[in-house]
């Protein structure tokens, strides 16, 4: 591209690690310890007495009227479900929470609001615990050690939509792996987004870990395969594969992702999503899972 009629730059692909400035020192920020309890308000003072939440106002009509019936609960649970969906809770998750609350209250006698609150809180905690408990336990360090015992690298592929932090999350995992005595290889398979390879190189330099890349415009599945072979030849313990961001309804790009996964058979595929996306994040994860199944 030329500007103001001037000559176009001779080169726009800076993915090569050779040349002036390619190995420039990267300043690594070493911040102080963060108190997460303080940052996220854990232990903060409860709301002032007299304030009534939507939950409390909706359920208060169940107090003091004898055993709670399913008929009395029906409109209350519907109102609660509508409220959860309005707050961007996934419909499936909201239904599970509501079912747990209803099961805990039907037939119960609630003489005071305190007894109601404690019952509902316990039911919601139990339901959310079930929803958030993964069906598969992932012990990354144990699995990497097992793979090393088999004289092969442990392979993780990071997937997700554009701009959610896949490369940054990958680098955090690389730091965790390296901090526990293993050597990870970063594999740059985002061959589409300008700057993706350079971004991953900066992370690799900051972490002092190896990077495998072949620039832009090449087949990502083949780059991943070559990177895994390189890691095995060099004796690296893990390969962390960065991929291009893509929407779950983009069929051509999802087919390319499926090819990368099926060709290389990674040990783990990690979906990186954005919590603020709410329901859409659930759809994104489900779309990725369906595409690579």
């Amino acid at each position: 591209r030329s500007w103001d009629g001037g000559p176009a730059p001779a080169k726009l692909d800076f993915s090569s690690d050779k040349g002036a400035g390619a190995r420039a020192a990267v300043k690594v920020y070493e911040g102080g310890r963060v108190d997460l309890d303080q940052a996220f308000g854990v232990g903060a003072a409860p709301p002032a007495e007299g304030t009534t939440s939507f939950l409390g106002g909706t359920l208060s009509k169940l107090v003091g009227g004898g055993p709670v019936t399913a008929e009395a609960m029906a409109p209350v649970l519907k109102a609660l479900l509508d409220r959860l969906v309005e707050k961007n809770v996934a419909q499936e998750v909201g239904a599970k929470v509501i079912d747990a609350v209803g099961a805990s209250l039907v037939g119960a006698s609630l003489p005071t609001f305190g007894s109601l609150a404690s019952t509902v809180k316990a039911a919601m905690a139990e339901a959310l615990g079930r929803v958030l408990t993964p069906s598969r336990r992932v012990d990354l360090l144990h699995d990497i050690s097992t793979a090393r015992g088999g004289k092969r690298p442990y392979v993780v592929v990071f997937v997700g939509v554009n701009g959610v932090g896949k490369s940054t999350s990958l680098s955090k995992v690389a730091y965790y792996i390296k901090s526990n005595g293993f050597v990870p290889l970063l594999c740059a398979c985002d061959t589409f987004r300008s700057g993706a390879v350079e971004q991953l190189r900066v992370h690799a330099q900051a972490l002092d870990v190896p990077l495998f890349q072949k620039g832009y415009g090449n087949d990502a599945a083949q780059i991943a395969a070559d990177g895994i072979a390189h890691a095995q030849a060099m004796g690296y313990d893990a390969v962390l594969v960065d991929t291009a961001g893509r929407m779950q309804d983009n069929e051509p790009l999802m087919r390319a992702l499926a090819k990368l996964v099926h060709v290389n058979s990674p040990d783990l595929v990690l979906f990186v999503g954005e919590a603020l996306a709410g329901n859409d994040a659930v759809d994104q994860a489900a779309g990725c899972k369906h595409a690579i199944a």
Side-chain angles (χ1 to χ4, degrees):
R1 179 184 296 178
S2 61
W3 301 96
D4 301 325
K11 178 183 177 184
L12 290 177
D13 184 349
F14 296 96
S15 60
S16 174
D17 59 359
K18 297 179 175 58
R23 293 281 182 183
V26 176
K27 183 178 180 181
V28 180
Y29 172 70
E30 297 181 0
R33 182 175 180 180
V34 176
D35 186 339
L36 295 180
D37 286 348
Q38 181 179 8
F40 291 98
V42 176
E49 291 187 12
T51 59
T52 303
S53 66
F54 172 85
L55 183 64
T58 303
L59 294 176
S60 60
K61 62 188 70 174
L62 301 175
V63 175
V68 178
T69 64
E71 291 75 16
M73 283 295 302
V76 175
L77 293 180
K78 184 182 183 305
L80 290 177
L81 179 58
D82 291 343
R83 182 69 169 183
L84 290 174
V85 173
E86 286 176 8
K87 295 298 183 180
N88 219 1
V89 175
Q91 179 83 25
E92 180 183 355
V93 175
K96 290 181 179 180
V97 171
I98 292 305
D99 288 344
V101 172
S104 68
L105 293 181
V106 171
S109 295
L110 305 168
T112 65
F113 184 79
S115 61
L116 168 66
S118 61
T119 302
V120 171
K121 182 177 180 180
M124 294 188 73
E126 193 271 337
L128 290 173
R130 285 202 312 269
V131 170
L132 297 175
T133 300
S135 58
R136 173 189 173 188
R137 181 176 180 271
V138 177
D139 188 337
L140 192 60
L141 300 180
H142 174 270
D143 293 343
I144 292 174
S145 180
T146 300
R148 182 163 69 174
K151 300 192 181 306
R152 68 172 185 85
Y154 185 84
V155 181
V156 184
V157 174
F158 290 76
V159 303
V161 303
N162 310 71
V164 294
K166 292 183 298 299
S167 302
T168 304
S169 298
L170 179 151
S171 301
K172 291 178 179 180
V173 173
Y175 175 78
Y176 173 69
I177 292 172
K178 181 181 178 182
S179 299
N180 283 276
F182 299 103
V183 181
L185 170 71
L186 309 191
C187 189
C189 292
D190 183 349
T191 63
F192 178 76
R193 176 174 63 85
S194 298
V197 176
E198 292 83 352
Q199 178 188 8
L200 209 60
R201 179 186 297 115
V202 170
H203 285 307
Q205 291 174 346
L207 295 169
D208 192 22
V209 297
L211 170 70
F212 185 88
Q213 60 90 14
K214 289 191 172 181
Y216 297 99
N218 298 306
D219 180 30
Q222 187 59 52
I223 294 175
D226 294 343
I228 294 169
H230 175 69
Q232 182 149 8
M234 298 298 295
Y236 299 140
D237 300 308
V239 180
L240 307 183
V241 180
D242 191 27
T243 64
R246 64 204 78 205
M247 294 301 295
Q248 71 276 16
D249 55 358
N250 189 319
E251 187 175 343
L253 291 183
M254 294 308 292
R255 283 201 304 267
L257 178 63
K259 176 185 175 183
L260 186 151
V261 171
H262 292 158
V263 166
N264 294 285
S265 300
D267 298 281
L268 182 65
V269 178
L270 286 181
F271 172 80
V272 181
E274 185 178 16
L276 293 177
N279 278 317
D280 195 40
V282 178
D283 294 337
Q284 293 164 10
C288 283
K289 182 178 180 180
H290 175 74
I292 65 179

